[in-house]
Structures are given as C-alpha cells and as structure tokens.
Amino acid sequence: QVQLVESGGGLVQPGGSLRLSCAAAGSIFSINVMGWYRQAPGKERELVAAITSGDSTNYADSVKGRFTISRDNAKNTVYLQMNSLKPEDTAVYYCNCNARRWLTDPPRHYWGQGTQVTVSS
C-alpha cells in the first residue's frame, strides 16, 4: 500500500501564509502526479494544485499567484506554499498521488487523511 501523511495545517489570519507538506511512504515504484485538493463545508472536493514528476504544474484559478506547489522526488514529498490567504481558502486540504507499487501495477490514486486550514481573524 501507499500511505500519504500530511502536515502543516492550522489557523492563520487573512493575508498570512502556511506551508503544507505531504510525504508518500510504503511500497512505491513510481509516482506520476502529486497534488492537493480541498473541501470546504457543504462544497465538493476541488483540485487546488497538481505537479507531475517532470515538474509541470496546474493550479485552480482561485489560487493562481498566491499558492505554489513543489515536490522532492527523492523524498516522495509534495509541498504547497500558501500565501495571501483568504477566508475562502478555509477547508480541509487533502494530498493525492497517482502511483505504481511495482512496474506492472496499474497506476492508482491514493489520498491522505486531510489537514484543516482555517483562515480567520
């Protein structure tokens, strides 16, 4: 199995910054895409940002220019630097990866347990 462990959530004032981290562990042959999703109360889960193993990135329009996703392939870790946070960024943030456990294993999606980010004064 592949486990994703997130850290870095918390309470921050509007305009502040947080950095989320997510480390993948377990039986891992390769990881293609790693990303962050979020889900606010009463809303559907949405993609925040994603990054491929070749460092191509994709961002939700609502976070462009404020959030930066990066990864350390040697550590199977993905980061999300969140700046200029707004109250509407409040949500549970979930790490996701698309990984193979061995060469012939079909790629599968794995999810972290989620970390709460609250932006409030």
Side-chain angles (χ1 to χ4, degrees):
Q1 269 292 8
V2 176
Q3 298 86 37
L4 298 176
V5 180
E6 301 136 335
S7 61
L11 172 64
V12 64
Q13 292 185 344
S17 299
L18 281 176
R19 188 189 194 214
L20 305 183
S21 300
C22 171
S27 178
I28 299 172
F29 175 76
S30 65
I31 300 177
N32 182 13
V33 182
M34 300 188 81
W36 291 93
Y37 289 71
R38 67 186 180 187
Q39 188 166 19
K43 295 188 176 181
E44 294 187 353
R45 190 172 297 189
E46 62 175 359
L47 174 68
V48 177
I51 184 168
T52 69
S53 56
D55 288 338
S56 294
T57 58
N58 181 39
Y59 294 92
D61 288 342
S62 59
V63 307
K64 283 181 181 177
R66 300 188 298 121
F67 291 11
T68 302
I69 190 169
S70 61
R71 66 189 279 176
D72 183 334
N73 291 326
K75 296 181 179 180
N76 289 330
T77 299
V78 64
Y79 307 95
L80 185 67
Q81 178 66 43
M82 305 185 292
N83 298 328
S84 301
L85 282 160
K86 304 175 181 180
E88 50 263 44
D89 295 317
T90 296
V92 178
Y93 284 69
Y94 296 91
C95 178
N96 172 272
C97 77
N98 185 260
R100 296 177 184 267
R101 293 169 295 172
W102 49 84
L103 177 62
T104 55
D105 185 36
R108 304 169 195 265
H109 281 277
Y110 297 91
W111 291 91
Q113 78 284 359
T115 185
Q116 177 70 46
V117 171
T118 303
V119 184
S120 175
S121 55

